[in-house]
Amino acid sequence: MVRKESLQILRDPSSIAIAFVLPVVLLFLFGYGVSLDARGIPLGIVIEQADAATQSLAGSFEHSRYFIPRYYRQIQAAETALARRDIDGIVWLRNNFARRLFTGDEAPIAVRLNGVDSNQANLTQGYIQGVWQGWLTRYARARGKPLGMPVEIEHRVWFNQAVTSRLFLVPGLIAIIMTLIGSLLTAMVIAREWERGTMEAMMVTPLRTGELLAGKLIPYFVLGMGGMLFTVALAVWQFDVPLRGSFWVLALSGAVFMLVSLAVGLLISIVSKNQFVAGQIAIVVTFLPAFILSGFIFDIGSMPAPIQVLTHVVPARYFVTILQTLFLAGDVWPILWRNIAALFVLLVIFGALVSKKTHQRLD
């Protein structure tokens, strides 16, 4: 059965394309096209009374890679530009800016943001605060004056010091892509046999259910693991994502995840008995939940409680966490073992469902 399925793969190279070409296309598309960073934000700076302090602060915004400052003399003109969406935010430096800095009686600056895109507004607010606090510290230190703040915050970002979203997204992308690849590879297997009318011939062979399933899975498991390793290599060498954890733990967890994805695809193939329908179902029930409910883009902790419960049956949820931990943090065993164990549980569940459905069909 393994030899027959391997020859089938060689005769029909579409499976090879799914395993190797599709991951490359998706990884480049999402890796370069999807970014949670913001660069070149048009920012209006209103300076009511120019002096050395206001020019120094404005220079900090000009030297920031996040902003493209535009200057206004009146707040009304800046607000008009904000309403037209010519700028995404306003930093308003009022009269007597330098004097207000150290008195603490009044806020020396005011910030207004365009909240139509809440994510962009939050990013802009964070970037403005970073520039402001950095400049304030340098300005006070240069003049030997206290800031007057009760607590001095020391920022330190672990695991992704540059706060680059690509380092966070690419490992998750591997899980999303492999979910689609794994399910698509086997979604056609049994359905193809039914469409070609060869399933009945297979049913009269002395093959047992386990041998039939193993013969169908092993060639596609090898193919899928080859595609996964190729994708990991692209992440490391093309996208410069550091792999700080163990490669062998990644290979083990990847193998378990690939078996789960293949089992899901096989289950779809057994139930649908039609290649086109099986392909559509595989995309809808594997790729979309993996993209939305795995924590790849949207934080699971912020979802409603019923949706959070639903995410526990999405295999990508566990593999996304494993990959992001292995790539960025290293071998954090409490996280790794918990998620690998969850993948094993899903493998047992989906394997049992496939075995039961195959047995029913052969009967």
Side-chain angles (χ1 to χ4, degrees):
M1 179 58 69
V2 173
R3 182 171 178 273
K4 169 192 171 297
E5 207 62 42
S6 300
L7 292 174
Q8 175 64 38
I9 292 173
L10 294 176
R11 280 197 295 267
D12 181 10
S14 61
S15 297
I16 299 175
I18 290 175
F20 288 96
V21 178
L22 190 57
V24 174
V25 173
L26 291 176
L27 194 60
F28 273 83
L29 183 65
F30 284 99
Y32 285 114
V34 178
S35 174
L36 300 180
D37 301 327
R39 296 285 190 276
I41 301 171
L43 180 70
I45 298 180
V46 180
I47 301 177
E48 290 187 344
Q49 184 179 359
D51 54 27
T54 58
Q55 295 303 320
S56 175
L57 178 57
S60 295
F61 283 103
E62 286 185 353
H63 290 98
S64 170
R65 58 179 174 173
Y66 301 112
F67 298 110
I68 300 177
R70 298 178 185 178
Y71 295 96
Y72 300 89
R73 296 297 301 272
Q74 302 293 331
I75 184 63
Q76 291 80 6
E79 289 176 341
T80 301
L82 186 67
R84 292 176 180 170
R85 304 200 68 175
D86 293 336
I87 55 177
D88 288 336
I90 299 172
V91 174
W92 182 9
L93 310 182
R94 300 174 181 174
N95 285 325
N96 300 320
F97 169 76
R99 183 184 58 80
R100 296 183 186 198
L101 273 177
F102 300 100
T103 59
D105 297 333
E106 297 177 274
I109 70 171
V111 175
R112 296 181 181 177
L113 301 172
N114 185 344
V116 172
D117 184 343
S118 59
N119 183 59
Q120 175 80 9
N122 287 329
L123 287 174
T124 304
Q125 181 182 4
Y127 294 155
I128 290 174
Q129 285 179 341
V131 172
W132 164 246
Q133 290 180 359
W135 177 85
L136 197 58
T137 302
R138 292 192 302 273
Y139 188 81
R141 187 175 299 158
R143 283 153 184 78
K145 295 182 179 180
L147 287 174
M149 292 191 294
V151 177
E152 184 175 355
I153 301 174
E154 180 180 348
H155 294 277
R156 184 171 299 174
V157 180
W158 284 17
F159 311 128
N160 185 0
Q161 287 81 0
V163 198
T164 304
S165 65
R166 182 180 295 173
L167 300 186
F168 170 77
L169 290 175
V170 169
L173 272 175
I174 297 174
I176 305 302
I177 293 170
M178 286 303 117
T179 299
L180 179 64
I181 303 306
S183 59
L184 277 180
L185 282 175
T186 49
M188 314 293 177
V189 173
I190 301 296
R192 184 172 56 226
E193 301 288 355
W194 283 109
E195 283 190 351
R196 293 178 178 176
T198 55
M199 195 64 191
E200 290 81 0
M202 197 175 300
M203 292 165 69
V204 298
T205 62
L207 282 174
R208 288 177 293 186
T209 303
E211 294 172 338
L212 173 66
L213 294 177
K216 291 290 184 184
L217 282 177
I218 289 173
Y220 293 101
F221 173 75
V222 174
L223 201 60
M225 287 303 293
M228 180 178 293
L229 294 177
F230 184 52
T231 310
V232 169
L234 279 178
V236 173
W237 285 302
Q238 179 64 33
F239 292 95
D240 295 325
V241 183
L243 178 58
R244 298 192 174 105
S246 168
F247 170 80
W248 298 110
V249 176
L250 189 152
L252 170 66
S253 57
V256 179
F257 177 73
M258 181 55 63
L259 286 173
V260 175
S261 298
L262 293 174
V264 172
L266 206 56
L267 182 63
I268 293 170
S269 186
I270 293 169
V271 173
S272 63
K273 300 171 65 173
N274 180 284
Q275 292 190 72
F276 177 77
V277 175
Q280 299 300 310
I281 294 175
I283 293 173
V284 172
V285 305
T286 61
F287 180 71
L288 292 181
F291 195 86
I292 298 171
L293 302 178
S294 66
F296 166 60
I297 294 290
F298 307 107
D299 179 35
I300 293 176
S302 303
M303 298 177 184
I307 302 298
Q308 290 189 34
V309 173
L310 184 62
T311 62
H312 287 286
V313 298
V314 179
R317 167 191 170 134
Y318 308 104
F319 198 45
V320 165
T321 304
I322 291 171
L323 287 176
Q324 289 174 342
T325 303
L326 283 174
F327 270 96
L328 298 180
D331 297 329
V332 185
W333 296 111
I335 297 176
L336 295 176
W337 288 128
R338 184 169 64 245
N339 288 279
I340 292 173
L343 285 178
F344 269 110
V345 171
L346 289 179
L347 178 59
V348 171
I349 294 173
F350 284 112
L353 288 173
V354 169
S355 178
K356 182 180 179 181
K357 286 292 182 183
T358 306
H359 181 70
Q360 289 177 352
R361 295 293 181 188
L362 290 176
D363 285 343

